[in-house]
Amino acid sequence: MVQDKDGDSRGEVHRNWIGGQWVKGPEVIANINPSNVAEVVGWYAKADQAAAQAAIDAAAGAFAAWAGTSPQLRADVLDRVGTELLARREALGTLLSREEGKTLGEGIGEVTRAGQIFKFFAGEALRNEGDLLDSIRPGVRVEVTREPVGVIGVITPWNFPIAIPAWKIAPALAFGNCVVFKPAELVPGSAWALTEILSRSGLPEGVFNLVMGAGSVVGEAIVASPRVDAVSFTGSVERGRALAQSVVARGGKVQLEMGGKNAQVIVDDADLPRAVEITAQSAFFSTGQRCTAASRIIVTQGIYERFVGALVERVAALRVDDALKPNTDIGPVVDMRQLQQDLDYLDIAQREGARLVIGGQRLRREAEGFYLAPALVVDSAPQMRVNKEEIFGPVASVIRVADYEEALAVTNDTVFGLTAGIATTSLRLAEHFKRHAQAGMVMVNVPTAGVDYHVPFGGRKGSSFGPREQGRYAREFYTTVKTSYVAA
Ligand code: UN1
C-alpha cells in the first residue's frame, strides 16, 4: 500500500467530516470483509469524545441558517445526492457487500433504495404543508405549521449500512434539521461514501457531520448532549431502551427501531411453492440479519409435512459463498460475535428439545470468512428461547399448530411487534390476520422483510418507540408543530 498524506503506511485513512472539514482521529479502525477476513476494505478514523462534541457544536451553529433556507435549496441538495447514489449504485453496492457481507444483488438494491429515499425526500421538502382554520374567536385565524427540530443525532446499525442512514438523514435535512451521524463501527465504508457525496452536495458547513467510532464514546456523547434535540436510533433493544431513558431525561425527542421476533404463518390453504419461497426469503436472505426477518415459522398441521419437506429442499439449494460471487444466495454472517450468537442459539434450541433438520454448521469457502449454513429447527415450542429472543442470523424455527386461530395466538405471543406474515389463499383469513396481528407491518403472501421506502415503517410493543420512519410519516419525528393565532 501507498504512503498517504497522513504519513500512514496502511493506505488512505478515511476521515470524519466535522464542520465542513475532513478531520483525523486519534485512532484508526480496519473495516474487515466478512467474506474474506484477510481483506481490509479500508481504514477509517475513529472519532473520540472531543470530535463528537465538535460535530455537535458545528451542527448547532449551522442550524438557524439552514432552518431558514428555501425548500428548493434543500430539495436540490437531496435530489443531487439521490442522483449520484443511483448513478454509482454498482460501485457503492460492491463496497457495501464487501463490508457487510450481503450479496452483491442485495448491496446494489440497498444503494438503489438509498438513492430513491433521497429523491423522495427532495420532494417532501417542498410539501411541508400546514393547516389553516378559523378560530372559535371571531376575526382570528389559526395556522398549524411544521418547523425543524434542531440537531438530530442519527445512530445506525451494521445490517443496512446505507439505507437506514438514508432514511434518517434525508428527512432530517429535508425539513431543515442539522445532523450528527454515527454509523455502526463494523460498516464505516458506506457511511463514509455517503458522507463524501453529501460533502459535495451544496450543504453549508456544519449542517451534516460524520463521526465514526464506538457507541460507548461517540454514541454516548450524542445521547448526553443537551445540544442534540432529537435522536433517531436503530439497533438492539438493550441499547435502544437505555439510550431513550437518557435522551428523554434531558427533554430530547427520541425514535427507536429495535428488535423483532417476526412470525411467518403458513395455513393449510397456502399456495405451497409460493409459501416456501416467501419463507426462504423472509428467514434467510440477507443472511437473516434483518429486524424484519421471519424467525418463527408457524405452520398448521394439514400442510405441515409437505411444507417442511419442501422448505428443507429449498434451504439445501441455497448457495452460501462470498458476497461478491454472482451465484451466491446467502453471504457470510457479519462477524465472529454474531456467528457465535447464532451457533449458541442453535445449541440452546437443541438442548430445549427442538430438532435441527438442516444447516447450522460453519462452512469453508475459498477464503476464510464467517460462513454459516442456513439452519432450520423443527419441533420447537412457542415458549423456547429460540422462539422468544432475537437471534439475528440465518436461523429459523418451525412451530406446528392445529389451526389458524392457534397460529394467530402464537404470532402475537411475543414482546415484539415489527412484522407478521401469512401465506394463504383465503380472503377471510388474510383479512382477519391483517386486523388482528399485533405488528406494525403485516404481509399477506409477501415476505416479512424487504419493505418499500415511500410508506411508514415501524413496529409495536418492544420493537419500536416514537413516530414511524419513512414515507410521509417521517415528518412527524423530524418536525415540531406550531399553532399560531392571528388577528388582523
Ligand atoms: C427491510 O426489511 O427492508 O434493521 C428493512 C432492520 C430494519 C430494516 C429492514 N430496520 O433490519
Side-chain angles (χ1 to χ4, degrees):
M1 286 191 199
V2 293
Q3 193 83 1
D4 82 339
K5 49 188 175 301
D6 287 338
D8 190 314
S9 59
R10 286 173 294 231
E12 191 197 351
V13 175
H14 300 80
R15 301 182 181 192
N16 290 299
W17 176 247
I18 300 170
Q21 307 287 330
W22 293 107
V23 178
K24 278 199 227 181
E27 280 177 66
V28 169
I29 16 178
N31 185 1
I32 303 293
N33 179 353
S35 296
N36 175 5
V37 296
E39 186 183 289
V40 176
V41 176
W43 298 93
Y44 293 84
K46 203 166 169 171
D48 56 10
Q49 228 251 332
Q53 204 50 58
I56 294 166
D57 292 345
F63 175 61
W66 180 243
T69 51
S70 157
Q72 186 63 56
L73 177 95
R74 285 178 264 130
D76 289 345
V77 165
L78 296 176
D79 189 62
R80 274 196 289 276
V81 173
T83 300
E84 183 165 345
L85 286 169
L86 294 175
R88 291 174 55 202
R89 61 181 134 194
E90 302 229 340
L92 295 171
T94 305
L95 169 66
L96 194 161
S97 293
R98 281 176 71 214
E99 71 174 346
E100 198 272 349
K102 63 181 68 177
T103 64
L104 185 55
E106 291 170 333
I108 294 172
E110 189 182 329
V111 175
T112 304
R113 191 195 308 200
Q116 289 162 335
I117 289 167
F118 272 92
K119 296 252 174 198
F120 178 85
F121 284 107
E124 287 300 279
L126 294 159
R127 284 189 288 267
N128 190 18
E129 80 274 359
D131 302 317
L132 179 61
L133 297 85
D134 283 333
S135 163
I136 56 171
R137 281 167 276 171
V140 178
R141 292 271 223 154
V142 184
E143 278 173 25
V144 183
T145 51
R146 300 268 180 170
E147 295 182 1
V149 177
V151 175
I152 313 278
V154 167
I155 302 180
T156 57
W158 49 261
N159 67 328
F160 282 86
I162 203 161
I164 293 179
W167 78 53
K168 296 181 191 293
I169 294 165
L173 297 177
F175 297 116
N177 301 283
C178 294
V179 172
V180 177
F181 171 36
K182 191 209 97 61
E185 270 191 287
L186 279 176
V187 290
S190 301
W192 190 90
L194 175 61
T195 301
E196 198 277 322
I197 294 172
L198 281 159
S199 77
R200 289 184 281 102
S201 66
L203 286 174
E205 276 177 17
V207 170
F208 175 81
N209 305 273
L210 169 74
V211 273
M212 301 174 282
S216 57
V217 179
V218 176
E220 222 25 73
I222 292 171
V223 166
S225 172
R227 304 191 86 181
V228 176
D229 301 282
V231 177
S232 182
F233 167 88
T234 300
S236 72
V237 176
E238 199 191 359
R239 181 80 195 107
R241 289 255 165 91
L243 176 154
Q245 290 209 346
S246 314
V247 177
V248 170
R250 60 170 178 77
K253 196 173 179 184
V254 68
Q255 175 181 56
L256 310 175
E257 289 298 340
M258 303 175 287
K261 196 67 210 172
N262 310 303
Q264 173 63 57
V265 171
I266 315 293
V267 290
D268 289 355
D269 68 21
D271 174 323
L272 185 67
R274 203 167 167 193
V276 167
E277 210 41 52
I278 287 168
T279 307
Q281 165 67 252
S282 304
F284 301 117
F285 281 55
S286 296
T287 322
Q289 297 175 151
R290 296 187 279 198
C291 58
T292 44
S295 54
R296 296 182 299 145
I297 317 302
I298 303 168
V299 190
T300 54
Q301 58 192 4
I303 198 172
Y304 186 89
E305 298 301 338
R306 279 181 298 140
F307 173 78
V308 171
L311 182 60
V312 168
E313 237 174 75
R314 180 71 183 98
V315 174
L318 292 171
R319 288 163 302 218
V320 181
D321 208 333
D322 189 309
L324 296 186
K325 286 195 176 162
N327 292 325
T328 299
D329 296 312
I330 312 281
V333 172
V334 73
D335 71 352
M336 195 55 220
R337 190 201 58 81
Q338 182 60 53
L339 178 61
Q340 194 55 52
Q341 178 167 313
D342 300 344
L343 294 169
D344 288 348
Y345 272 105
L346 286 169
D347 278 350
I348 292 167
Q350 293 175 88
R351 269 190 271 128
E352 287 184 308
R355 199 157 50 84
L356 178 64
V357 284
I358 188 163
Q361 71 280 16
R362 278 197 75 171
L363 300 171
R364 288 193 168 280
R365 291 295 178 260
E366 215 170 289
E368 195 194 328
F370 304 118
Y371 299 105
L372 179 66
L376 192 68
V377 161
V378 298
D379 299 340
S380 79
Q383 298 313 316
M384 290 178 178
R385 279 183 65 194
V386 75
N387 287 321
K388 288 286 172 204
E389 298 168 19
E390 186 174 53
I391 301 171
F392 221 65
V395 176
S397 51
V398 183
I399 303 171
R400 185 200 293 253
V401 291
D403 51 23
Y404 166 75
E405 281 67 32
E406 190 184 349
L408 178 64
V410 174
T411 295
N412 290 336
D413 181 18
T414 168
V415 297
F416 295 110
L418 191 58
T419 61
I422 188 168
T424 181
T425 52
S426 156
L427 180 61
R428 186 180 65 81
L429 294 186
E431 274 299 312
H432 192 275
F433 189 79
K434 201 176 75 191
R435 286 172 194 226
H436 297 281
Q438 294 163 2
M441 294 171 285
V442 175
M443 312 297 192
V444 178
N445 296 322
V446 288
T448 59
V451 298
D452 289 5
Y453 65 86
H454 65 308
V455 289
F457 176 93
R460 296 184 185 175
K461 301 202 266 186
S463 290
S464 304
F465 182 85
R468 289 284 186 267
E469 301 199 84
Q470 304 205 66
R472 304 216 68 188
Y473 282 64
R475 188 169 76 140
E476 194 57 40
F477 182 72
Y478 293 101
T479 60
T480 181
V481 173
K482 179 173 280 173
T483 312
S484 311
Y485 294 78
V486 182

